[in-house]
Amino acid sequence: MRRPLPRATYSVVLMSALAAGLISGCSTSGTPSDPEPSGSGKAQARARASAPASAESLGFTPRRLDLPVYDYQLSPSQYAKVAEAKQALVTACMKRYGFSWSAPTPAIPRQDRRYGVIDLRAAQRYGYHLLPTDTSVAAESGAATPSKEEMAALTAGQLLDGDTGESRLAAGYDSPVKRVRGKAVPPGGCAQEAERKLLGRDDLRSEAGVVSRINTESFSSSMSTPAVKTVFAKWSSCMKKAGYDFPDPLKSIGSADLNVPAAPKAETELATADVKCKESVDLVAVWSRAETSIQRGMIKKKATATAAQRADNATRLRNAAEIVKKSG
């Protein structure tokens, strides 16, 4: 028996179904490899929607960090490839039930914001706001609400935990949906069927949670190291000379209003000073060295789990390439 699904639940179920398992090994906040939240999702979506741009129009290549944990996560470009394949699989599956389905197009971040803004030109133009992307964010704004039947076919009333690969009942369901329009629904619906094809096996259990914890815990631990505390103090001193009083870069980010669609002059000036001070004290290099050391130790302790997650990501990419080739 299925209880009526509250309207507000649709978008949560939809996005969870499409995201779970897709970015295994990636953080769910900020960018796919970024544990530091980058502000309001709605505000960032509006900013992207109001300022679409090609990569060439930026005039520079956004800088990305090189950390050990990134070897066990999907990069933004890899995420995009897997998302394209999953879209094709879900669309084909939904068609079996008579639905013309178009999944939300994910907005792929261009920058690495783990340590805040680290590109001078990005700071000068966008402040602490995310750089514009080429992808549509119409679905993020909830433009289309799927029907109950569509949700049943998509999820079978189940959600996949992206960290563990285990299913649970979605809100509003007493048991998994078995049939839609007289046709059998695969376990977990079209979303989980797609993930099984990407992963190449029926068992969706994952070690993504292990990698995610390394990603976030190493970030937190690194800020307590003597080297990082020292470089934060140097950065703070530099910022005071520029007229700002912040103990560390995260506090300066927190002072910006990311609910506005574009960075005001005061924000771009602050972000510019932030980046210049980071460069003057070599903050990014010092911080990344400290975190690299921490991550290597954590990865070594979880060698079996991290190796398994890297293998799963490689499988997804390999299968995604074949799926996109066949669907194209």
Side-chain angles (χ1 to χ4, degrees):
M1 172 66 79
R2 180 163 58 90
R3 300 192 302 272
L5 193 63
R7 184 180 181 86
T9 303
Y10 283 127
S11 60
V12 176
V13 175
L14 172 62
M15 296 309 297
S16 296
L18 293 174
L22 179 59
I23 54 173
S24 295
C26 300
S27 170
T28 56
S29 61
T31 73
S33 55
D34 196 354
E36 181 59 25
S38 298
S40 165
K42 289 184 178 179
Q44 297 293 1
R46 289 195 300 269
R48 289 194 297 266
S50 64
S54 65
E56 293 75 15
S57 71
L58 291 176
F60 68 97
T61 300
R63 182 180 177 187
R64 297 199 65 79
L65 302 172
D66 183 17
L67 294 169
V69 75
Y70 289 2
D71 290 340
Y72 304 89
Q73 301 174 317
L74 294 179
S75 69
S77 62
Q78 291 171 336
Y79 171 92
K81 292 175 183 177
V82 176
E84 182 182 3
K86 188 161 189 177
Q87 159 76 311
L89 291 171
V90 172
T91 298
C93 176
M94 294 292 281
K95 189 175 181 180
R96 300 202 303 258
Y97 303 94
F99 300 121
S100 179
W101 178 258
S102 180
T105 301
I108 310 301
R110 288 180 177 156
Q111 66 281 285
D112 192 325
R113 290 293 181 86
R114 193 177 190 90
Y115 301 155
V117 179
I118 57 178
D119 292 297
L120 184 58
R121 279 180 282 185
Q124 292 170 333
R125 186 171 177 183
Y126 302 104
Y128 290 116
H129 281 60
L130 296 181
L131 304 184
T133 69
D134 295 321
T135 53
S136 168
V137 294
E140 292 183 21
S141 64
T145 300
S147 68
K148 292 179 181 179
E149 280 191 320
E150 285 177 310
M151 290 306 304
L154 179 66
T155 70
Q158 295 177 287
L159 297 180
L160 185 69
D161 187 313
D163 278 350
T164 66
E166 297 177 349
S167 286
R168 69 178 188 276
L169 281 175
Y173 291 88
D174 292 319
S175 61
V177 176
K178 300 296 184 181
R179 304 185 74 81
V180 170
R181 294 185 174 180
K183 296 182 179 180
V185 176
C190 291
Q192 289 191 37
E193 178 184 87
E195 183 59 22
R196 285 189 288 273
K197 290 182 178 180
L198 284 165
L199 196 52
R201 62 172 189 259
D202 291 334
D203 184 357
L204 298 181
R205 283 179 292 183
S206 167
E207 298 292 353
V210 173
V211 175
S212 180
R213 285 190 292 276
I214 291 172
N215 186 45
T216 56
E217 290 174 10
S218 66
F219 178 82
S220 178
S221 296
S222 67
M223 290 190 289
S224 298
T225 62
V228 173
K229 285 183 176 180
T230 297
V231 81
F232 278 0
K234 291 179 179 179
W235 174 89
S236 181
S237 178
C238 175
M239 290 292 282
K240 284 182 180 178
K241 294 177 182 177
Y244 302 101
D245 187 11
F246 296 104
D248 61 62
L250 303 188
K251 294 296 190 298
S252 65
I253 297 171
S255 71
D257 182 5
L258 300 182
N259 287 306
V260 296
K265 183 179 179 181
E267 182 185 324
T268 58
E269 290 177 345
L270 170 59
T272 297
D274 176 359
V275 175
K276 287 182 176 179
C277 283
K278 282 173 179 168
E279 292 176 346
S280 72
V281 301
D282 209 20
L283 183 145
V284 174
V286 172
W287 196 350
S288 62
R289 279 198 298 269
E291 192 171 11
T292 291
S293 178
I294 292 169
Q295 286 184 1
R296 284 175 177 164
M298 296 177 76
I299 290 169
K300 186 176 182 180
K301 289 180 180 178
K302 296 292 185 180
T304 300
T306 51
Q309 187 57 36
R310 180 159 59 180
D312 280 353
N313 288 339
T315 298
R316 282 189 179 88
L317 285 168
R318 185 169 58 251
N319 289 337
E322 287 298 316
I323 290 164
V324 171
K325 183 179 179 180
K326 291 178 180 177
S327 66

